Amino acid sequence: MDKLTRKVIDIIVPCYNEEDVLDMFYTELTKVTDTITDYECRCIFVDDGSRDRTLEILRRLAKDHNNVKYISFSRNFGKEAGMYAGLQHSTGDYVIIMDADLQHPPTMIPDMIAGINEGYDCCAAQRTSRKGEAPIRSFFSRMFYRLNRKMTNIDLVQGAVDFRIMSRQMVDAVLALSERQRFSKGIFSWVGFKTKWLPYENVERPLGQTKWSFTGLLKYAVDGITCFSITPLRLVTGLGFFISFFAFIYIIFTLVQTFIFGIDTPGYVTTLCAILFLGGIVEISIGILGEYIAHIYMEVKGRPIYVLKDTNLPLGGAKNNE
Ligand code: UDP
Ligand code: MG
């Protein structure tokens, strides 16, 4: 196919302290992209404020290879911000998002492109096994998916990872959701479009280590629900009604007991139980309200999702830049 008319695929790779794997990643990636002749592949690495030599390596790669672009943040803003920046700066007809740690096998890219050629808007990887992962993490992950499906009206696919190819139309839809607290798994599902799922076995990191801590994952899980659903608020309201109803019945019951049958109501234990129980419920309710107020607070401030420090891409090219 004529080089000038080839469609472009931008491969976005968020990187945070990935000095150990970056060279290996690029070698593995090019082994695959070199075999793709119908499309022109470009890499957009996003250095998410790494403290190691990541940016240095990216600059070297960009100097040696024409198709390597990089964006560097002023500090660590998180993977979600990295993906958003990459999408904003992409201009390709299709965009691939993948991790730098080789847990997203580049060998799947041709299959993803085949999916696009079949007419899908998106082709995404779905992890079928959690081999090599701590059982407790797998357990909480399964719980999260179940809870999320019950609480939100978006359909999160079990095992769905961020590794995917998207059409320009879908990328623009994702960018139109310019919320600050980004939960990409939900956003990808929310925008819709026809998605083909490609199953794959979990791959362990060859080098470096995961950036996720248990509390980080827990916060992610809470955001996954509160960013997409107000069901928890409704549940609190429902619970309030439920408890008030039983409290009312109990009051009638006690009044009847005392005034009609003349039975003495037993003393402080019931009072204590009621106070502690209600106290707990009230605390939880305030906590849930707080989660939503925190979201409003963060959105209302309208701060940028990331701060750019350096890039070899033409500046001002980003879409939806706020
Ligand atoms: N990452 C990032 N910013 C962060 C944390 C992670 O850009 O604050 C990148 C990281 O470099 C990797 C990808 O996101 O390319 C996935 O991170 P990680 O491997 O730590 O997550 P896991 O695979 O364990 O879910
Ligand atoms: Mg990883």
Side-chain angles (χ1 to χ4, degrees), residues 3-153:
K3 222 175 159 129
L4 285 173
T5 56
R6 281 192 310 177
K7 287 193 168 173
V8 177
I9 299 179
D10 282 333
I11 303 174
I12 296 170
V13 190
C15 315
Y16 178 51
N17 294 347
E18 298 288 7
E19 61 177 7
D20 297 330
V21 284
L22 266 182
D23 279 308
M24 198 200 280
F25 170 79
Y26 189 70
T27 314
E28 293 299 316
L29 181 68
T30 40
K31 268 188 211 165
V32 175
T33 51
D34 284 349
T35 64
I36 299 168
T37 47
D38 300 348
Y39 294 89
E40 184 188 334
C41 295
R42 252 182 10 151
C43 287
I44 304 181
F45 289 94
V46 185
D47 164 41
D48 185 10
S50 302
R51 289 164 207 267
D52 62 359
R53 289 173 38 252
T54 298
L55 181 58
E56 219 175 285
I57 297 170
L58 292 183
R59 285 203 182 111
R60 173 169 49 76
L61 285 175
K63 212 171 92 206
D64 296 346
H65 309 277
N66 251 339
N67 63 339
V68 172
K69 307 291 169 197
Y70 66 86
I71 301 166
S72 179
F73 291 173
S74 62
R75 66 165 171 85
N76 180 242
F77 282 89
K79 184 186 173 185
E80 293 288 343
M83 291 195 288
Y84 185 71
L87 291 178
Q88 269 191 332
H89 286 83
S90 72
T91 49
D93 303 282
Y94 298 99
V95 175
I96 291 178
I97 301 182
M98 67 193 297
D99 287 0
D101 58 8
L102 286 169
Q103 284 190 294
H104 295 166
T107 45
M108 287 178 75
I109 291 177
D111 293 337
M112 289 190 165
I113 295 175
I116 287 289
N117 290 340
E118 281 167 35
Y120 287 92
D121 302 291
C122 173
C123 195
Q126 181 182 18
R127 199 163 44 176
T128 49
S129 83
R130 297 191 145 255
K131 191 169 50 112
E133 194 182 68
I136 184 88
R137 193 173 156 174
S138 307
F139 170 75
F140 278 110
S141 162
R142 272 199 305 276
M143 293 264 293
F144 163 68
Y145 278 103
R146 204 171 297 164
L147 194 67
N148 196 291
R149 204 160 305 138
K150 282 223 161 72
M151 292 245 181
T152 66
N153 54 8

